Amino acid sequence: ANSPSFDDDLITKKAENGHLPAKSEVTNGTTKIEGEVKVDPMIGRFRMESSEKFDDFMRALGVGMLKRKLAGSVIPVNIIEIDPQGVYKISTLTTVRNSEISFKLNEPFVEET
């Protein structure tokens, strides 16, 4: 089981009114905790820019040439979202295959591939 933790990477801002509830509340990639708003910098859409030495890596794993060329030609787009309950969803979109994983920070989960 994995247990991702990005809390240390959140950007902290003071809430405008300074009077937020002490409990954690997540909305559109921001977390409100004890009068502070934390913005998660990872929310968004990301496109791979390069995959240097990926072919060498796959060759070392014993992947055949045809599969290596196909995998090397794919340019994935990752979409990272967070819902109001604090569940992160990471979608990986390609022309060959799409995948999705969901989890809550600091909670173990099983990743199935």
Side-chain angles (χ1 to χ4, degrees), residues 20-37:
L20 296 174
K23 72 175 192 166
S24 175
E25 179 184 330
V26 179
T27 309
N28 296 328
T30 64
T31 305
K32 297 177 183 177
I33 303 172
E34 297 179 11
E36 294 182 344
V37 176

PDB file of all heavy atoms in Angstrom, residues 20-37:
ATOM      1  N   LEU A  20     -11.740  30.928   9.568  1.00  0.00           N
ATOM      2  CA  LEU A  20     -12.180  29.675   8.968  1.00  0.00           C
ATOM      3  C   LEU A  20     -12.299  28.620  10.058  1.00  0.00           C
ATOM      4  O   LEU A  20     -11.651  28.712  11.098  1.00  0.00           O
ATOM      5  CB  LEU A  20     -11.175  29.212   7.918  1.00  0.00           C
ATOM      6  CG  LEU A  20     -11.031  30.150   6.723  1.00  0.00           C
ATOM      7  CD1 LEU A  20      -9.914  29.685   5.831  1.00  0.00           C
ATOM      8  CD2 LEU A  20     -12.323  30.213   5.943  1.00  0.00           C
ATOM      9  N   PRO A  21     -13.114  27.611   9.862  1.00  0.00           N
ATOM     10  CA  PRO A  21     -13.250  26.564  10.869  1.00  0.00           C
ATOM     11  C   PRO A  21     -11.929  25.816  11.056  1.00  0.00           C
ATOM     12  O   PRO A  21     -11.112  25.731  10.162  1.00  0.00           O
ATOM     13  CB  PRO A  21     -14.328  25.642  10.288  1.00  0.00           C
ATOM     14  CG  PRO A  21     -14.439  25.989   8.857  1.00  0.00           C
ATOM     15  CD  PRO A  21     -13.947  27.395   8.701  1.00  0.00           C
ATOM     16  N   ALA A  22     -11.736  25.260  12.255  1.00  0.00           N
ATOM     17  CA  ALA A  22     -10.497  24.559  12.566  1.00  0.00           C
ATOM     18  C   ALA A  22     -10.377  23.261  11.780  1.00  0.00           C
ATOM     19  O   ALA A  22      -9.283  22.806  11.508  1.00  0.00           O
ATOM     20  CB  ALA A  22     -10.414  24.266  14.057  1.00  0.00           C
ATOM     21  N   LYS A  23     -11.494  22.658  11.389  1.00  0.00           N
ATOM     22  CA  LYS A  23     -11.411  21.404  10.640  1.00  0.00           C
ATOM     23  C   LYS A  23     -10.918  21.653   9.224  1.00  0.00           C
ATOM     24  O   LYS A  23     -11.030  22.752   8.691  1.00  0.00           O
ATOM     25  CB  LYS A  23     -12.753  20.689  10.621  1.00  0.00           C
ATOM     26  CG  LYS A  23     -13.795  21.334   9.743  1.00  0.00           C
ATOM     27  CD  LYS A  23     -15.041  20.489   9.685  1.00  0.00           C
ATOM     28  CE  LYS A  23     -15.925  21.003   8.572  1.00  0.00           C
ATOM     29  NZ  LYS A  23     -16.958  20.088   8.227  1.00  0.00           N
ATOM     30  N   SER A  24     -10.392  20.629   8.603  1.00  0.00           N
ATOM     31  CA  SER A  24      -9.882  20.732   7.243  1.00  0.00           C
ATOM     32  C   SER A  24     -11.043  20.686   6.258  1.00  0.00           C
ATOM     33  O   SER A  24     -11.943  19.869   6.381  1.00  0.00           O
ATOM     34  CB  SER A  24      -8.918  19.576   6.974  1.00  0.00           C
ATOM     35  OG  SER A  24      -8.510  19.588   5.644  1.00  0.00           O
ATOM     36  N   GLU A  25     -11.030  21.570   5.268  1.00  0.00           N
ATOM     37  CA  GLU A  25     -12.067  21.622   4.248  1.00  0.00           C
ATOM     38  C   GLU A  25     -11.373  21.818   2.906  1.00  0.00           C
ATOM     39  O   GLU A  25     -10.586  22.733   2.733  1.00  0.00           O
ATOM     40  CB  GLU A  25     -12.994  22.797   4.547  1.00  0.00           C
ATOM     41  CG  GLU A  25     -14.096  22.993   3.551  1.00  0.00           C
ATOM     42  CD  GLU A  25     -14.907  24.244   3.879  1.00  0.00           C
ATOM     43  OE1 GLU A  25     -15.010  24.608   5.049  1.00  0.00           O
ATOM     44  OE2 GLU A  25     -15.392  24.848   2.920  1.00  0.00           O
ATOM     45  N   VAL A  26     -11.642  20.929   1.958  1.00  0.00           N
ATOM     46  CA  VAL A  26     -10.961  20.977   0.668  1.00  0.00           C
ATOM     47  C   VAL A  26     -11.933  21.437  -0.403  1.00  0.00           C
ATOM     48  O   VAL A  26     -13.043  20.943  -0.499  1.00  0.00           O
ATOM     49  CB  VAL A  26     -10.399  19.587   0.293  1.00  0.00           C
ATOM     50  CG1 VAL A  26      -9.722  19.627  -1.054  1.00  0.00           C
ATOM     51  CG2 VAL A  26      -9.433  19.108   1.357  1.00  0.00           C
ATOM     52  N   THR A  27     -11.518  22.421  -1.216  1.00  0.00           N
ATOM     53  CA  THR A  27     -12.347  22.927  -2.309  1.00  0.00           C
ATOM     54  C   THR A  27     -11.454  23.309  -3.480  1.00  0.00           C
ATOM     55  O   THR A  27     -10.562  24.131  -3.334  1.00  0.00           O
ATOM     56  CB  THR A  27     -13.134  24.177  -1.873  1.00  0.00           C
ATOM     57  OG1 THR A  27     -13.805  23.897  -0.651  1.00  0.00           O
ATOM     58  CG2 THR A  27     -14.141  24.575  -2.920  1.00  0.00           C
ATOM     59  N   ASN A  28     -11.692  22.707  -4.635  1.00  0.00           N
ATOM     60  CA  ASN A  28     -11.005  23.076  -5.879  1.00  0.00           C
ATOM     61  C   ASN A  28      -9.494  23.248  -5.729  1.00  0.00           C
ATOM     62  O   ASN A  28      -8.921  24.243  -6.135  1.00  0.00           O
ATOM     63  CB  ASN A  28     -11.592  24.372  -6.448  1.00  0.00           C
ATOM     64  CG  ASN A  28     -13.038  24.194  -6.853  1.00  0.00           C
ATOM     65  OD1 ASN A  28     -13.429  23.109  -7.259  1.00  0.00           O
ATOM     66  ND2 ASN A  28     -13.820  25.221  -6.730  1.00  0.00           N
ATOM     67  N   GLY A  29      -8.832  22.278  -5.126  1.00  0.00           N
ATOM     68  CA  GLY A  29      -7.382  22.327  -5.023  1.00  0.00           C
ATOM     69  C   GLY A  29      -6.851  23.208  -3.918  1.00  0.00           C
ATOM     70  O   GLY A  29      -5.662  23.455  -3.837  1.00  0.00           O
ATOM     71  N   THR A  30      -7.721  23.703  -3.023  1.00  0.00           N
ATOM     72  CA  THR A  30      -7.252  24.459  -1.864  1.00  0.00           C
ATOM     73  C   THR A  30      -7.734  23.748  -0.609  1.00  0.00           C
ATOM     74  O   THR A  30      -8.782  23.108  -0.608  1.00  0.00           O
ATOM     75  CB  THR A  30      -7.775  25.909  -1.840  1.00  0.00           C
ATOM     76  OG1 THR A  30      -9.187  25.892  -1.712  1.00  0.00           O
ATOM     77  CG2 THR A  30      -7.363  26.667  -3.078  1.00  0.00           C
ATOM     78  N   THR A  31      -6.964  23.820   0.442  1.00  0.00           N
ATOM     79  CA  THR A  31      -7.344  23.232   1.710  1.00  0.00           C
ATOM     80  C   THR A  31      -7.393  24.330   2.753  1.00  0.00           C
ATOM     81  O   THR A  31      -6.443  25.095   2.891  1.00  0.00           O
ATOM     82  CB  THR A  31      -6.314  22.164   2.145  1.00  0.00           C
ATOM     83  OG1 THR A  31      -6.173  21.210   1.100  1.00  0.00           O
ATOM     84  CG2 THR A  31      -6.781  21.450   3.408  1.00  0.00           C
ATOM     85  N   LYS A  32      -8.504  24.429   3.468  1.00  0.00           N
ATOM     86  CA  LYS A  32      -8.641  25.422   4.524  1.00  0.00           C
ATOM     87  C   LYS A  32      -8.405  24.727   5.859  1.00  0.00           C
ATOM     88  O   LYS A  32      -9.143  23.830   6.222  1.00  0.00           O
ATOM     89  CB  LYS A  32     -10.033  26.045   4.501  1.00  0.00           C
ATOM     90  CG  LYS A  32     -10.346  26.799   3.235  1.00  0.00           C
ATOM     91  CD  LYS A  32     -11.765  27.321   3.248  1.00  0.00           C
ATOM     92  CE  LYS A  32     -12.097  28.019   1.946  1.00  0.00           C
ATOM     93  NZ  LYS A  32     -13.493  28.468   1.898  1.00  0.00           N
ATOM     94  N   ILE A  33      -7.375  25.139   6.570  1.00  0.00           N
ATOM     95  CA  ILE A  33      -7.057  24.546   7.863  1.00  0.00           C
ATOM     96  C   ILE A  33      -6.732  25.663   8.844  1.00  0.00           C
ATOM     97  O   ILE A  33      -5.790  26.420   8.637  1.00  0.00           O
ATOM     98  CB  ILE A  33      -5.861  23.583   7.774  1.00  0.00           C
ATOM     99  CG1 ILE A  33      -6.131  22.483   6.751  1.00  0.00           C
ATOM    100  CG2 ILE A  33      -5.568  22.974   9.145  1.00  0.00           C
ATOM    101  CD1 ILE A  33      -4.941  21.616   6.467  1.00  0.00           C
ATOM    102  N   GLU A  34      -7.513  25.749   9.911  1.00  0.00           N
ATOM    103  CA  GLU A  34      -7.262  26.695  10.994  1.00  0.00           C
ATOM    104  C   GLU A  34      -6.910  28.101  10.507  1.00  0.00           C
ATOM    105  O   GLU A  34      -5.863  28.653  10.831  1.00  0.00           O
ATOM    106  CB  GLU A  34      -6.184  26.148  11.920  1.00  0.00           C
ATOM    107  CG  GLU A  34      -6.599  24.858  12.594  1.00  0.00           C
ATOM    108  CD  GLU A  34      -5.531  24.297  13.506  1.00  0.00           C
ATOM    109  OE1 GLU A  34      -4.540  24.988  13.784  1.00  0.00           O
ATOM    110  OE2 GLU A  34      -5.706  23.164  13.937  1.00  0.00           O
ATOM    111  N   GLY A  35      -7.770  28.698   9.684  1.00  0.00           N
ATOM    112  CA  GLY A  35      -7.586  30.083   9.264  1.00  0.00           C
ATOM    113  C   GLY A  35      -6.597  30.297   8.144  1.00  0.00           C
ATOM    114  O   GLY A  35      -6.287  31.413   7.788  1.00  0.00           O
ATOM    115  N   GLU A  36      -6.068  29.228   7.563  1.00  0.00           N
ATOM    116  CA  GLU A  36      -5.135  29.363   6.447  1.00  0.00           C
ATOM    117  C   GLU A  36      -5.693  28.630   5.240  1.00  0.00           C
ATOM    118  O   GLU A  36      -6.411  27.652   5.379  1.00  0.00           O
ATOM    119  CB  GLU A  36      -3.773  28.764   6.800  1.00  0.00           C
ATOM    120  CG  GLU A  36      -3.049  29.491   7.899  1.00  0.00           C
ATOM    121  CD  GLU A  36      -1.692  28.870   8.171  1.00  0.00           C
ATOM    122  OE1 GLU A  36      -1.437  27.736   7.737  1.00  0.00           O
ATOM    123  OE2 GLU A  36      -0.881  29.531   8.819  1.00  0.00           O
ATOM    124  N   VAL A  37      -5.380  29.124   4.060  1.00  0.00           N
ATOM    125  CA  VAL A  37      -5.766  28.454   2.827  1.00  0.00           C
ATOM    126  C   VAL A  37      -4.492  27.899   2.213  1.00  0.00           C
ATOM    127  O   VAL A  37      -3.545  28.632   1.973  1.00  0.00           O
ATOM    128  CB  VAL A  37      -6.455  29.423   1.837  1.00  0.00           C
ATOM    129  CG1 VAL A  37      -6.756  28.709   0.535  1.00  0.00           C
ATOM    130  CG2 VAL A  37      -7.725  29.981   2.448  1.00  0.00           C
TER     131      VAL A  37
END
